[in-house]
Amino acid sequence: LFVGNRATTDRSIVSSAASTTHPLSYDIETATPKLRDMSINEKSHQRKRQSYSSIAREIAAKWNLTTPEAPYLLEQQFYRINDYNPHVDFLHFHHIPKTGGTTISDIMNATLGSLVDGHRGILPGSDRSGTFDPIRFYQMTGIQQSPTSQSNGKEDFPYLASYAHTRLRPIHGPNKTDLAAFFEEYFALPNNTHKRLRSLAMLREPMNLRASNQAMAMCGLNGRVNTVNFQRQQKGLERICTPEQGLNISQLWDGVVDKAMEKCGPNGTIPSNASKVDRYEKDLCRRGREAMDFCRSPSQLLSSSRYKFGMRSMLGGLMKRYVAQEQMGLHEYYSIDVYLERIGLGFSTEKVEEYTLIDLGGLDSDIMHTPYNGYSKKQLSSSNNDGSNTNNAEPDVLWFGITERMKESTCLFFYALNVKPLKKTPRERVMNCSPTSWWTEDHRAEVKRKEPADYAIWRTANAILDVRMMKMQEDIRKKLEDEEGLTQKERDQYRALVEAGCLE
């Protein structure tokens, strides 16, 4: 992962809680040889390293990263090796709801799924917008769950990847997930072979993520807004999506409540002769007309107990911890900053940024479920490319995407997994009226105040994505400058990335 003088620097293991005078910080003027003493080739490499260092500093500043290690760790993305190997790697896409993951699942099915005869590249039991179902795997494949059962051979296990809302990490330790337990069973089946588990992920701007969850999963507002606009269309009126245009979400929800109350029987019962009652109406009947007032507006959601106990720290599932000192898998959806202060670890965005740069950035292949004590040059450069797992390491994050940057994210997906770009990217569940249409910048400021950790992850992820885009584009241009050195398959792949607009 490292080249040049940094690879020869003896770095001690560094704690994520290190002070500003970090052993990893270094002065390029004093730590590098003088250019006049170097060969032409060495000078070229040195100038490139200096360029990367400068770019990393600019990107860190662009995304307001506060950890002093941001420039150094961002620079390492330029040297990070893309080592995906379908023969030794198995990929799991953890689909965090409302991040555009259904689109990614469909892309996986159309690319990785089609690489195997019979379109069998995706593991049965996967669900593009639901949980992984091990029972369905055994039902669909006809393979017996018993480890002593017989199978027809390796053709029973052609699968390259899975996808679901179900998280994979941690696969070791006391908080090991049910999905990790399934994969232990799966790889132990007769004639199957163990593979290195690796993660794919999507994340979304924190306010947008909460807006989308409120609009669809919590309140079903998207469908109701669509109904309003369909009725307007029938009258020859234009679509409305914002309060300025006349959309009143509070009034719309009050209508839902009134309709539900008309269907309710005594003591919250539903009369047998009532017309069809949806799940929201049932909840209102049982708990009262004010039970779901968090649906009336973004402001009421942000001040509600439902937000406090169900929508805090929503990016916690991404790496399954926010800072290096946590044990992986303990935290759920309560406030991570309050939690870290309560257990005596202390909270800072610098800690979150630094850990995100390493873990989400895929810089250390030896991260385990236990508290992460730090990293060294030796650790960061010791990736196991043969798929072996000798130290109980957790699945690394091979690729991640950002909802607001779907075009760039999918280009990096095709590039990292070495698959042909699709002619047309699926657009599943993209609303005509975005759920953020009735949220304001004041609401965004309130979410930023409440969720500093989620915003630290999101900003850091954007910085990493910036570097990866530059690295990918540099690599594509360089390879196509010397097409004679490429195989026909490689030539076709790089040209397809250009045609897909990945250099734009």
Side-chain angles (χ1 to χ4, degrees):
L1 298 183
F2 293 87
V3 298
N5 65 294
R6 293 202 174 192
T8 63
T9 304
D10 183 17
R11 303 187 187 282
S12 59
I13 292 179
V14 180
S15 168
S16 293
S19 65
T20 304
T21 57
H22 200 300
L24 284 175
S25 301
Y26 101 121
D27 186 338
I28 198 165
E29 293 300 325
T30 60
T32 58
K34 297 293 184 182
L35 286 179
R36 66 174 179 269
D37 299 327
M38 302 168 68
S39 68
I40 293 176
N41 189 49
E42 287 174 328
K43 289 178 182 178
S44 175
H45 283 292
Q46 184 59 35
R47 289 192 179 100
K48 178 165 285 190
R49 288 194 295 272
Q50 290 175 339
S51 174
Y52 289 161
S53 180
S54 176
I55 291 168
R57 288 195 298 270
E58 291 175 4
I59 291 174
K62 169 187 172 183
W63 291 103
N64 299 316
L65 301 188
T66 55
T67 172
E69 297 315 309
Y72 169 75
L73 291 170
L74 282 173
E75 183 183 344
Q76 306 321 306
Q77 289 293 326
F78 285 109
Y79 313 129
R80 178 175 171 267
I81 298 170
N82 181 18
D83 64 346
Y84 170 60
N85 183 343
H87 298 293
V88 299
D89 294 335
F90 187 94
L91 309 178
H92 177 69
F93 171 50
H94 174 203
H95 174 186
I96 296 176
K98 315 316 305 169
T99 58
T102 304
T103 292
I104 300 302
S105 297
D106 289 347
I107 291 174
M108 289 177 66
N109 195 49
T111 54
L112 295 173
S114 66
L115 293 179
V116 180
D117 290 342
H119 211 81
R120 297 176 64 208
I122 301 301
L123 188 69
S126 298
D127 194 309
R128 62 203 284 267
S129 295
T131 57
F132 186 85
D133 187 351
I135 294 175
R136 191 151 57 94
F137 164 77
Y138 290 108
Q139 290 175 339
M140 293 177 68
T141 60
I143 297 172
Q144 298 300 310
Q145 193 165 355
S146 169
T148 60
S149 63
Q150 298 298 311
S151 68
N152 295 326
K154 290 187 177 180
E155 64 272 14
D156 285 339
F157 307 102
Y159 312 110
L160 302 174
S162 57
Y163 46 70
H165 287 322
T166 312
R167 63 179 172 87
L168 177 59
R169 276 183 168 188
I171 65 172
H172 302 289
N175 305 312
K176 182 173 72 175
T177 63
D178 291 341
L179 185 58
F182 164 77
F183 276 116
E184 281 186 2
E185 282 184 7
Y186 170 72
F187 290 129
L189 289 169
N191 294 311
N192 199 2
T193 55
H194 179 81
K195 288 190 172 183
R196 172 175 56 171
L197 287 167
R198 310 188 75 177
S199 294
L200 311 176
M202 283 288 291
L203 65 151
R204 190 172 188 175
E205 197 275 344
M207 189 207 80
N208 298 350
L209 179 61
R210 287 156 176 79
S212 188
N213 270 273
Q214 182 202 33
M216 180 172 285
M218 296 171 65
C219 305
L221 294 173
N222 287 334
R224 304 180 200 283
V225 171
N226 286 342
T227 299
V228 167
N229 281 315
F230 175 76
Q231 294 169 347
R232 289 178 60 85
Q233 184 182 21
Q234 298 299 102
K235 299 175 183 179
L237 300 174
E238 293 183 354
R239 178 191 300 134
I240 56 173
C241 294
T242 67
E244 291 76 16
Q245 293 169 337
L247 182 65
N248 189 325
I249 293 296
S250 298
Q251 187 179 68
L252 187 62
W253 184 254
D254 289 342
V256 171
V257 175
D258 291 341
K259 184 179 177 182
M261 294 299 105
E262 292 174 1
K263 297 179 181 180
C264 298
N267 300 319
T269 59
I270 307 295
S272 57
N273 61 349
S275 57
K276 186 176 181 181
V277 180
D278 64 32
R279 64 186 179 95
Y280 306 103
E281 293 170 334
K282 288 180 181 178
D283 204 24
L284 288 164
C285 286
R286 294 188 185 110
R287 298 172 55 211
R289 65 178 302 121
E290 296 179 354
M292 297 180 68
D293 273 3
F294 54 80
C295 294
R296 295 190 76 249
S297 71
S299 296
Q300 285 179 270
L301 172 66
L302 292 171
S303 62
S304 69
S305 60
R306 180 64 179 270
Y307 184 92
K308 183 177 180 180
F309 295 108
M311 301 187 77
R312 301 302 306 270
S313 305
M314 291 183 74
L315 294 182
L318 194 64
M319 298 173 288
K320 215 48 202 149
R321 63 180 165 205
Y322 279 88
V323 298
Q325 295 87 351
E326 288 182 88
Q327 181 169 300
M328 195 175 286
L330 283 178
H331 174 69
E332 292 299 337
Y333 293 121
Y334 44 83
S335 173
I336 184 60
D337 45 329
V338 174
Y339 167 74
L340 291 177
E341 294 289 351
R342 180 169 60 81
I343 65 174
L345 290 180
F347 171 79
S348 72
T349 56
E350 290 88 347
K351 288 182 180 180
V352 179
E353 291 169 3
E354 185 171 330
Y355 185 70
T356 303
L357 284 161
I358 298 165
D359 193 352
L360 190 64
L363 293 182
D364 192 343
S365 62
D366 292 332
I367 287 177
M368 291 184 262
H369 69 279
T370 51
Y372 184 60
N373 292 324
Y375 53 91
S376 68
K377 178 267 296 182
K378 181 178 179 181
Q379 284 178 299
L380 291 183
S381 59
S382 61
S383 177
N384 293 322
N385 295 329
D386 60 356
S388 63
N389 186 351
T390 59
N391 61 353
N392 291 328
E394 290 296 319
D396 67 332
V397 183
L398 176 66
W399 168 90
F400 72 85
I402 299 174
T403 313
E404 291 78 20
R405 302 176 68 174
M406 186 63 82
K407 174 67 176 178
E408 294 162 289
S409 298
T410 53
C411 281
L412 287 168
F413 177 94
F414 301 134
Y415 174 75
L417 274 60
N418 196 29
V419 292
K420 283 284 188 70
L422 301 181
K423 297 293 184 183
K424 183 178 181 182
T425 301
R427 283 176 53 85
E428 189 67 22
R429 300 181 180 176
V430 178
M431 299 294 109
N432 289 325
C433 284
S434 168
T436 59
S437 299
W438 50 89
W439 288 61
T440 67
E441 288 306 308
D442 287 341
H443 295 133
R444 193 182 308 279
E446 178 66 5
V447 177
K448 285 183 178 180
R449 185 186 68 80
K450 288 177 177 287
E451 310 297 341
D454 277 5
Y455 270 98
I457 289 178
W458 182 77
R459 288 185 288 102
T460 306
N462 274 279
I464 296 170
L465 195 142
D466 277 358
V467 178
R468 289 187 177 178
M469 281 297 297
M470 296 182 72
K471 178 190 174 186
M472 177 192 71
Q473 292 174 343
E474 178 184 53
D475 182 51
I476 293 172
R477 291 188 178 101
K478 183 178 179 180
K479 293 291 175 58
L480 291 179
E481 285 175 0
D482 183 23
E483 290 193 25
E484 292 183 1
L486 302 175
T487 65
Q488 186 61 49
K489 183 179 179 180
E490 290 172 333
R491 192 178 299 118
D492 291 345
Q493 174 69 9
Y494 286 119
R495 286 176 177 173
L497 289 167
V498 174
E499 292 171 3
C502 295
L503 293 188
E504 295 173 6

